[in-house]
Amino acid sequence: MFNFEYLTFPGNGVHTVKTAREKKVSLIEKLYNTSDLSKATDHWRKSYDQFDNADICILGVPSDAGAGIVRGSNWGPLVLRERIESEYFDLGDVKVIPHLIDDRYLSKQALIDLQKKNYNGLDLPVSALSILKDVTSTFFKKNKSKKLLCLGGDHSISRPICESFLSEHEDVGILHFDAHTDLMEERLGISTCFATWAFHIANLLDHKKKFIQIGIRSSAYDKTHWESKIGLTQYWTEEVKTLGPDEIAKKCIEQYKSLGVKKLYLSFDIDAIDMQYASATGTPEKDGLMPFECLVILNLISKEIPIIAADLVEVAPFVFYPEMKGKVIEPETTLDSALSIINFLFDHWRS
Ligand SMILES: [Mn+2]
């Protein structure tokens, strides 16, 4: 069903030769009970015999080519998987060439040269987001009941996933947790990056109010600007604190239902959470949501409107901020926060 040329075994989407290769061993030991990396491809390919029985699937997208301030979320998918205890089917990683983001920015000749080098000349996408578009459209087309969680990577990955999702599912709403709006049309002339995905996805919706953002607190413009310019709905962190997470959830449910939304796509940027609980990320922000506030909102909304697919992005396990020294133990604190979101999804999908 999938093209294995542009996918690879879990954790291997970050290309390494010698340096950092050891980071992959512990995950391979956990998943396939071997420390021999040369055998991992076989184990992973063989695991696809069980794909038909899978209910929850994870795809790793270790690309941070779309990040703009501090990179490092390319290691998110590997390090998060090391800590996931529940069972799931691992689709593997997108094979990332770290210098490429989207094939739309390549010349014809560059594309041909890259296909020659990487796929023996086969006509396949080479940039992370173009590969991701291909994989997710195949996934959503053929698997209406399986649930998909994509682990980023920076937030640019949400655009191709949402595009694929929206073209295969109807009556969809988008639920987006983030400290930032990600609503720029382009940044430095680039329309596919961490700061622009939400703008382009909102524009694909027949009714913009099907897109709700929660946790915003760092923006050049205020809420009124975005709500009138784009037409979506925002609940800034301050409102969550004032009204309480239960009330925010209630408002979201009412709005989605009034617009006929029957299923949700969740995009969760870890920086929605306060930096005391999530500082191992590219743009940590203070005065944010507490993990439990996110979980209250997610639990209440998903009981009324199911989440079908999701991404969790911007976890950068080896990024460290001196100002957080002594306040938290990183990356464990951020990984715990991320894990609480993943565990919520698994519980929701198995209930
Ligand atoms: Mn974001």
Side-chain angles (χ1 to χ4, degrees):
M1 185 180 83
F2 297 103
N3 201 315
F4 285 115
E5 295 289 331
Y6 53 46
L7 294 176
T8 185
F9 63 83
N12 201 43
V14 181
H15 180 74
T16 56
V17 180
K18 191 160 189 301
T19 305
R21 189 180 153 90
E22 76 288 347
K23 294 196 199 311
K24 297 175 180 177
V25 174
S26 71
L27 180 62
I28 292 313
E29 276 174 345
K30 183 181 172 217
L31 294 177
Y32 306 125
N33 221 355
T34 172
S35 53
D36 186 350
L37 278 184
S38 68
K39 294 202 176 112
T41 301
D42 293 340
H43 285 286
W44 167 66
R45 291 259 190 130
K46 183 92 189 93
S47 74
Y48 266 83
D49 293 349
Q50 296 305 312
F51 178 70
D52 287 345
N53 306 324
D55 54 352
I56 298 174
C57 299
I58 284 186
L59 175 67
V61 194
S63 167
D64 59 9
I69 313 288
V70 175
R71 297 193 182 198
S73 60
N74 61 331
W75 289 105
L78 186 149
V79 177
L80 284 168
R81 280 187 185 103
E82 284 178 342
R83 286 160 171 84
I84 296 175
E85 297 295 342
S86 315
E87 291 220 347
Y88 64 91
F89 182 86
D90 208 314
L91 295 166
D93 272 3
V94 168
K95 231 190 247 178
V96 172
I97 300 173
H99 324 288
L100 308 178
I101 182 159
D102 192 308
D103 287 357
R104 77 181 75 192
Y105 297 118
L106 296 175
S107 71
K108 224 174 188 166
Q109 191 55 51
L111 185 62
I112 290 168
D113 291 346
L114 284 154
Q115 288 170 333
K116 207 182 275 174
K117 281 278 179 195
N118 291 282
Y119 309 132
N120 291 317
L122 289 173
D123 184 17
L124 293 170
V126 294
S127 307
L129 298 190
S130 304
I131 295 171
L132 183 57
K133 181 74 192 294
D134 221 54
V135 179
T136 51
S137 58
T138 306
F139 182 92
F140 292 129
K141 207 170 277 171
K142 303 204 171 147
N143 303 283
K144 296 285 188 237
S145 63
K146 292 189 201 307
K147 308 294 190 290
L148 179 66
L149 168 62
C150 293
L151 298 176
D154 72 73
H155 218 153
S156 66
I157 73 164
S158 301
R159 184 175 175 184
I161 307 168
C162 286
E163 284 173 353
S164 299
F165 188 69
L166 288 169
S167 59
E168 295 303 326
H169 287 271
E170 283 178 359
D171 305 322
V172 172
I174 309 280
L175 179 58
H176 171 204
F177 283 78
D178 207 318
H180 315 93
T181 67
D182 298 356
L183 284 171
M184 291 169 78
E185 185 170 359
E186 47 88 19
R187 185 178 188 264
L188 302 171
I190 299 291
S191 66
T192 55
C193 73
F194 73 124
T196 63
W197 76 271
F199 175 89
H200 296 281
I201 295 307
N203 273 311
L204 290 179
L205 299 172
D206 56 347
H207 201 304
K208 307 287 180 280
K209 292 232 168 293
K210 290 179 178 175
F211 198 132
I212 300 180
Q213 300 187 312
I214 300 177
I216 310 293
R217 60 191 180 279
S218 178
S219 167
Y221 303 96
D222 65 6
K223 171 177 158 131
T224 323
H225 168 87
W226 294 118
E227 289 193 339
S228 59
K229 182 173 183 252
I230 310 289
L232 80 184
T233 294
Q234 294 182 338
Y235 293 108
W236 286 44
T237 300
E238 225 178 75
E239 292 174 276
V240 180
K241 305 285 178 189
T242 315
L243 295 174
D246 299 66
E247 185 59 25
I248 298 291
K250 206 176 125 197
K251 284 173 175 287
C252 293
I253 293 164
E254 278 170 9
Q255 181 166 318
Y256 283 136
K257 284 194 169 172
S258 75
L259 295 168
V261 169
K262 296 198 174 65
K263 41 189 144 170
L264 291 174
Y265 181 90
L266 169 69
S267 182
F268 199 102
D269 189 324
I270 198 69
D271 68 30
I273 295 175
D274 188 88
M275 70 187 293
Q276 290 283 347
Y277 294 90
S279 68
T281 185
T283 49
E285 301 284 354
K286 61 182 170 53
D287 303 325
L289 299 174
M290 296 294 117
F292 88 89
E293 291 170 322
C294 301
L295 292 170
V296 167
I297 295 170
L298 285 169
N299 267 306
L300 289 170
I301 294 179
S302 63
K303 274 196 184 106
E304 298 289 326
I305 309 161
I307 297 164
I308 306 294
D311 64 63
L312 174 64
V313 297
E314 300 286 359
V315 173
F318 307 125
V319 164
F320 178 74
Y321 292 89
E323 66 266 35
M324 295 307 288
K325 202 175 175 198
K327 292 186 186 161
V328 288
I329 302 165
E330 290 291 18
E332 279 71 18
T333 305
T334 302
L335 292 169
D336 283 349
S337 300
L339 255 292
S340 71
I341 305 302
I342 294 174
N343 288 334
F344 150 74
L345 280 169
F346 278 51
D347 288 346
H348 171 50
W349 286 338
R350 296 232 157 95
S351 66

